[in-house]
Amino acid sequence: MNKFLGCLMLIVFSIFSSYLYSEIAIIVHKENKVSINSGDLKKIFLSKRNTFPESNEVVVVINHKRDSELRTKFDEIVLGKNPSQSVAYWSKLVFSGKGNPPKEVDTDADVISLVAKNPSLIGYIELINVTDDVHVAAVF
């Protein structure tokens, strides 16, 4: 019985820790070979910058749904905001007429599909889900 519980605990810990330590890939169109630092990325995702850093081509953000675990993780790691702060930030921009939140999608597959079709888009997915259809511009 002790061996069984030990194995079960190891499996649960492995699953939990893989979520905690899974990396976030910032993705762009596969022909866009840009690399983005955390400062520029934060500006892009907070609508303080509307072009890619190296090319000055227009950039459009794709976000995960507000209640997704990946969105929460992205907001905290990359933007330095918890979910409440993120909602407040966008509410203030919308109310003041200074901006609108990015388009939201449900899954990594949705982000990949959109980014693969449009060179202006940028989004994020779990690194493990990256395909050859997109280019990884940064990893967090």
Side-chain angles (χ1 to χ4, degrees):
M1 185 68 164
N2 274 342
K3 268 188 173 180
F4 175 76
L5 287 176
C7 287
L8 183 61
M9 287 176 55
L10 183 61
I11 292 169
V12 170
F13 178 76
S14 296
I15 292 168
F16 182 69
S17 64
S18 69
Y19 166 74
L20 286 178
Y21 299 109
S22 64
E23 294 176 295
I24 299 171
I26 308 305
I27 61 169
V28 295
H29 191 272
K30 67 181 174 183
E31 293 178 10
N32 184 347
K33 298 305 179 191
V34 69
S35 61
I36 302 175
N37 66 41
S38 59
D40 285 331
L41 189 62
K42 185 174 181 177
K43 288 176 188 172
I44 289 169
F45 274 85
L46 293 176
S47 287
K48 295 180 179 181
R49 179 182 183 122
N50 62 359
T51 60
F52 285 106
E54 295 171 8
S55 66
N56 288 324
E57 297 290 326
V58 173
V59 64
V60 179
V61 173
I62 299 297
N63 218 343
H64 278 263
K65 293 283 185 189
R66 186 181 337 170
D67 60 347
S68 78
E69 291 176 5
L70 186 58
R71 166 82 175 267
T72 298
K73 186 176 177 181
F74 176 84
D75 285 355
E76 290 173 350
I77 292 171
V78 177
L79 305 182
K81 297 187 179 299
N82 65 39
S84 298
Q85 290 169 321
S86 184
V87 169
Y89 177 83
W90 286 109
S91 295
K92 181 179 176 183
L93 276 167
V94 169
F95 183 73
S96 67
K98 294 181 180 177
N100 290 308
K103 175 184 172 87
E104 294 181 350
V105 298
D106 292 318
T107 67
D108 283 358
D110 294 336
V111 177
I112 292 168
S113 175
L114 290 169
V115 168
K117 295 175 189 171
N118 188 330
S120 297
L121 297 182
I122 188 170
Y124 57 91
I125 61 174
E126 289 190 65
L127 183 60
I128 196 168
N129 293 329
V130 170
T131 68
D132 291 338
D133 298 322
V134 294
H135 169 71
V136 176
V139 176
F140 292 88

